Amino acid sequence: MRSYQAKRADATARLLAPAAPGPHARPVGRTPLGINQVHIASQSLLGHWQERNAAHTIPHCIEQLEGSGVMDNFRRVIGESGAPYRGFVFADSDLYKVIEAVAWEIARSGTHDFDAWLDEAIALIARVQEPTGYLHTWIQGVRPDKRFVELDRNHEMYVLGHLIQAAVALDRAAGRDDLLQVAIRFAALVDRRFGPGREDGIPGHPEIETALIELHRHTGEARWLHLAEHLINQRGHDILPDEGFGHRYYQDHVRVREAIDPTGHAVRQLYLNAGVTDLFLETGESALHDVMRAQWERVHERKMYLSGAFGSRHRDESFGNDYELPSDRAYAETCATIADLHWTWRMLLAGEDRRYADVMERELYNALAASVDESGTRFFYSNPMQRRPDRFSEENAPAQRQPWYACACCPPNIARTIAQAGAYVATVRQAPDGPALELHQLLACEIELPESLGSGTLTVRTRYPTDGEISLYVAGGALPPGSAVWVRIPAWAQGATLDVGGRRRSVSDGEGARGFVQIPADEVDGAVLHLPLRPRWTAANYRVDAVRGAVALERGPILYCLEQVDLPEDAAVDDVYLPAVPVVTELPSSGDAPAPALRVDLSVRTAEDSLYRAAAWGEREAPTRSLEANLVPFSTWGNRGPGAMRVWIPTV
């Protein structure tokens, strides 16, 4: 067996990133950069988050794996623990997601702080795996009679998907393949049982599809690509039972190439879409890209919350109907935002639409950022846009963030996503007039230029999104003639300007419409992009009945909210509305806040005792009084204690 050091040396030559195109993938003209090639500065919001993730969130997750019983679930199968099984049937996946987080943290920082834990955890997993390759502690330790019997609910393939992703990440980042061999044995068992030409069977919870394609990319074995394609092709053939939840819940009601309408359990739909898009990236089948583009439009134009969250119904954790986006009863599961990040990144690799990166930015800075507190150890599962003062806690929708959940899918999912976030910053493309580096996420970082772009480092200096100035510098080399750096211009950034060669010019309407400003190689060093970060009021589509007559406040990519803690005791969030011309004033930035607080003129009603009253058309009662209050970034809400909150503020 080759040494760990030798394998680690090999790993440095690989693309250390999720969704790395395989050697036989169709050329899409766009290649991601590895986590080890993009070094996000710790002073940036995302860089600070990565540091906190490594120092607090990952260790917290490791601790909770013991406290919640996940590790004992493995030990009890082989007689090393007498504790009863704890958690849901898919609890094994919590461990695999944490291992993936550790792997990407190794790729990001080169840390080996978790090596001893990895050794112990992987050795335990290997001891539990059966000679056949089977590995699922709930089945093995509780219901061995249910092995591959209830694919709709027992999550065997879903758990395997997370095992594969963890194993591939660990081999890429650290050059160790011990977990990879475990994952391959289990995947081979599934292939022998449910592969092409064998028994019909698909997972009730998608996730394995994108994992198998990643395994194909990593190993070069076509077997895993064929298995993923087979599982995708079987959807819509009445394979899963229609018991209670219905076929739509499982995305099994129609064949994938006809499924333009997002439906059912939101996380499952979005994970499936990531796998389908991965399949397109490998095979180039245009029908897959067509249906994914159509569904992406519907998801993000009709079913996405302004924060970048998804899932409007607590029942079934599901998408609602088009434009069904209640603020106070939003389910908006953290894992749904993460699943969409993964899917939208793959759509970005496959397409030319600037909106993909815009959406990812919205998700990262708002819905996902709000899901974890400033300590990195308390989390939201559900992320509503409004918290009423009398709202009571529910199991997965508590009034304040919790250190863990019985269904603990979200915290380790956050940990693995933030550890790999460097992979979503930049890509390299072969444009008609030469190679280009595309900067999708606007943050302070250093990017090691790949061979196609000469040599050296591109440094991005900025305080964005607090400040709209973004400066570029090239050190240790030069970009080759004919190449360029393309910097994304967000859709809201009308009036952007660019300083190059000692002169300032406006970013043209044409450039803004295409979504990028193109800076030629000889003008990159010292170029400065200025994005206007003016506060703006946003109204929803008129079909969103839940927030008709209300507006939300945004500044750049940051969404704001009003918290009860920022109002006087005798003024309630639910009694506030905006005057005809509200004045918005920026306050000085402070601490680690993602953006400055915004002081806003507000009016306050007198609460009425009656539930209903006679309508008086065209009249508005005079407010009790006017006041000023601070609106703060939505991502920070709840950090000062539980209480009422709202994003959408009525205008009447």
Side-chain angles (χ1 to χ4, degrees):
M1 186 172 182
R2 299 181 63 212
S3 70
Y4 175 89
Q5 289 79 9
K7 291 180 180 179
R8 183 69 184 88
D10 284 352
T12 61
R14 298 173 180 167
L15 181 57
L16 302 188
H24 304 295
R26 66 177 293 274
V28 295
R30 193 174 257 169
T31 303
L33 294 180
I35 293 170
N36 58 326
Q37 295 172 282
V38 179
H39 308 283
I40 302 177
S42 59
Q43 67 267 26
S44 70
L45 282 178
L46 194 53
H48 177 70
W49 193 355
Q50 288 189 314
E51 297 285 346
R52 185 182 65 189
N53 189 60
H56 301 288
T57 304
I58 292 175
H60 175 80
C61 289
I62 290 173
E63 179 182 343
Q64 292 293 328
L65 290 174
E66 288 289 353
S68 65
V70 170
M71 304 307 292
D72 272 344
N73 290 343
F74 281 85
R75 296 182 185 114
R76 72 186 298 274
V77 172
I78 53 178
E80 295 180 8
S81 172
Y85 185 94
R86 286 184 285 168
F88 286 80
V89 298
F90 46 83
D92 295 2
S93 64
D94 296 342
L95 171 58
Y96 302 147
K97 281 183 275 192
V98 176
I99 292 176
E100 185 182 352
V102 170
W104 294 131
E105 181 56 30
I106 293 171
R108 185 189 78 87
S109 65
T111 181
H112 290 281
D113 294 346
F114 304 105
D115 282 1
W117 177 78
L118 282 174
D119 292 342
E120 181 181 345
I122 295 170
L124 175 60
I125 293 167
R127 292 199 301 276
V128 173
Q129 186 172 40
E130 297 177 1
T132 62
Y134 192 86
L135 179 59
H136 190 283
T137 64
W138 186 80
I139 296 291
Q140 291 171 275
V142 181
R143 292 301 302 272
D145 58 313
K146 295 294 185 180
R147 188 168 310 206
F148 291 136
V149 172
E150 296 176 334
L151 295 178
D152 57 321
R153 64 182 65 184
N154 286 343
H155 288 68
E156 288 148 299
M157 293 192 200
Y158 168 81
V159 169
L160 171 57
H162 280 298
L163 171 60
I164 291 170
Q165 287 184 313
V168 169
L170 192 59
D171 195 32
R172 282 186 183 159
R176 58 182 298 175
D177 65 356
D178 44 359
L179 189 63
L180 184 64
Q181 297 309 315
V182 171
I184 288 174
R185 284 193 290 271
F186 194 4
L189 174 64
V190 170
D191 187 37
R192 292 194 300 270
R193 180 77 177 263
F194 299 106
R198 300 181 177 93
E199 181 180 342
D200 287 341
I202 59 174
H205 196 311
E207 212 281 335
I208 191 175
E209 299 84 357
T210 194
L212 286 168
I213 293 172
E214 205 63 21
L215 185 60
H216 156 70
R217 291 165 170 165
H218 188 66
T219 64
E221 292 189 32
R223 175 186 189 182
W224 312 123
L225 178 64
H226 297 328
L227 177 57
E229 185 172 25
H230 178 64
L231 295 175
I232 288 170
N233 289 342
Q234 285 192 103
R235 290 198 170 266
H237 288 78
D238 277 341
I239 292 174
L240 295 177
D242 185 6
E243 298 176 354
F245 291 110
H247 289 301
R248 286 183 177 272
Y249 174 82
Y250 299 112
Q251 294 77 45
D252 192 34
H253 61 294
V254 66
R255 298 180 184 186
V256 163
R257 290 163 182 79
E258 303 166 6
I260 63 171
D261 185 39
T263 190
H265 189 280
V267 177
R268 300 177 195 226
Q269 177 73 80
L270 296 168
Y271 272 148
L272 175 62
N273 293 354
V276 173
T277 307
D278 268 329
L279 185 59
F280 162 72
L281 288 170
E282 292 300 311
T283 67
E285 183 188 340
S286 59
L288 295 174
H289 196 208
D290 291 345
V291 74
M292 285 295 95
R293 281 185 298 182
Q295 193 176 136
W296 195 91
E297 291 284 344
R298 291 189 176 223
V299 167
H300 297 87
E301 295 295 333
R302 305 181 186 187
K303 302 193 178 188
M304 181 181 75
Y305 283 95
L306 187 60
S307 63
F310 305 86
S312 58
R313 297 181 180 178
H314 285 235
R315 176 179 171 80
D316 298 344
E317 302 181 326
S318 65
F319 289 113
N321 297 317
D322 287 351
Y323 307 105
E324 180 188 339
L325 295 167
S327 290
D328 53 346
R329 291 299 292 168
Y331 198 65
E333 184 184 345
T334 298
C335 284
T337 293
I338 291 171
D340 189 72
L341 270 170
H342 295 166
W343 176 34
T344 297
W345 173 247
R346 288 158 172 81
M347 291 296 291
L348 184 152
L349 294 177
E352 300 294 329
D353 199 325
R354 176 262 313 278
R355 291 178 300 166
Y356 299 141
D358 279 3
V359 163
M360 292 179 70
E361 179 180 68
R362 178 177 295 278
E363 293 169 340
L364 283 167
Y365 287 134
N366 298 292
L368 188 57
S371 68
V372 58
D373 78 345
E374 56 194 354
S375 76
T377 62
R378 299 181 70 86
F379 313 91
F380 276 138
Y381 187 109
S382 171
N383 296 275
M385 304 283 279
Q386 178 180 352
R387 176 73 64 186
R388 294 188 181 276
D390 58 342
R391 172 73 180 270
F392 53 83
S393 288
E394 299 173 64
E395 182 178 11
N396 290 332
Q400 60 189 98
R401 297 177 183 87
Q402 300 296 307
W404 207 246
Y405 290 85
C407 177
C409 52
C410 296
N413 220 359
I414 294 169
R416 74 174 182 130
T417 300
I418 297 308
Q420 68 185 243
Y424 302 136
V425 172
T427 56
V428 175
R429 65 173 300 149
Q430 293 298 322
D433 51 353
L437 176 76
E438 297 173 306
L439 187 64
H440 300 287
Q441 297 306 321
L442 311 176
L443 41 74
C445 62
E446 290 186 351
I447 300 173
E448 297 178 12
L449 296 174
E451 291 184 6
S452 62
L453 285 164
S455 60
T457 301
L458 175 70
T459 298
V460 182
R461 295 177 186 166
T462 182
R463 294 177 61 242
Y464 180 89
T466 302
D467 183 272
E469 183 175 294
I470 300 161
S471 303
L472 307 179
Y473 301 92
V474 179
L479 293 162
S483 67
V485 172
W486 294 14
V487 183
R488 176 175 60 92
I489 305 297
W492 48 261
Q494 297 180 6
T497 61
L498 178 68
D499 295 347
V500 289
R503 66 188 188 280
R504 175 169 295 187
R505 69 172 179 84
S506 297
V507 174
S508 70
D509 291 340
E511 287 175 307
R514 290 196 300 272
F516 289 89
V517 59
Q518 300 177 30
I519 309 173
D522 59 351
E523 295 183 343
V524 170
D525 191 38
V528 182
L529 178 67
H530 302 271
L531 300 179
L533 291 175
R534 295 182 290 268
R536 65 189 186 278
W537 293 104
T538 300
N541 184 290
Y542 70 92
R543 294 182 181 181
V544 185
D545 291 302
V547 295
R548 187 174 292 163
V551 292
L553 186 59
E554 297 183 277
R555 179 184 180 273
I558 303 297
L559 175 65
Y560 283 76
C561 69
L562 176 65
E563 287 192 88
Q564 184 64 55
V565 69
D566 289 314
L567 291 173
E569 290 184 3
D570 58 348
V573 165
D574 286 356
D575 297 334
V576 165
Y577 69 93
L578 290 170
V581 184
V583 176
V584 180
T585 304
E586 287 191 24
L587 300 181
S589 300
S590 61
D592 296 326
L598 301 177
R599 186 171 289 275
V600 179
D601 288 342
L602 299 170
S603 297
V604 185
R605 289 188 179 89
T606 299
E608 298 178 4
D609 293 328
S610 60
L611 183 59
Y612 302 103
R613 64 177 177 83
W617 300 109
E619 297 180 10
R620 187 193 320 191
E621 294 184 1
T624 303
R625 67 187 187 281
S626 298
L627 57 81
E628 290 183 322
N630 294 346
L631 271 66
V632 298
F634 172 73
S635 61
T636 68
W637 91 269
N639 281 336
R640 294 173 289 174
M645 174 277 295
R646 69 183 309 145
V647 168
W648 293 98
I649 302 177
T651 59
V652 294

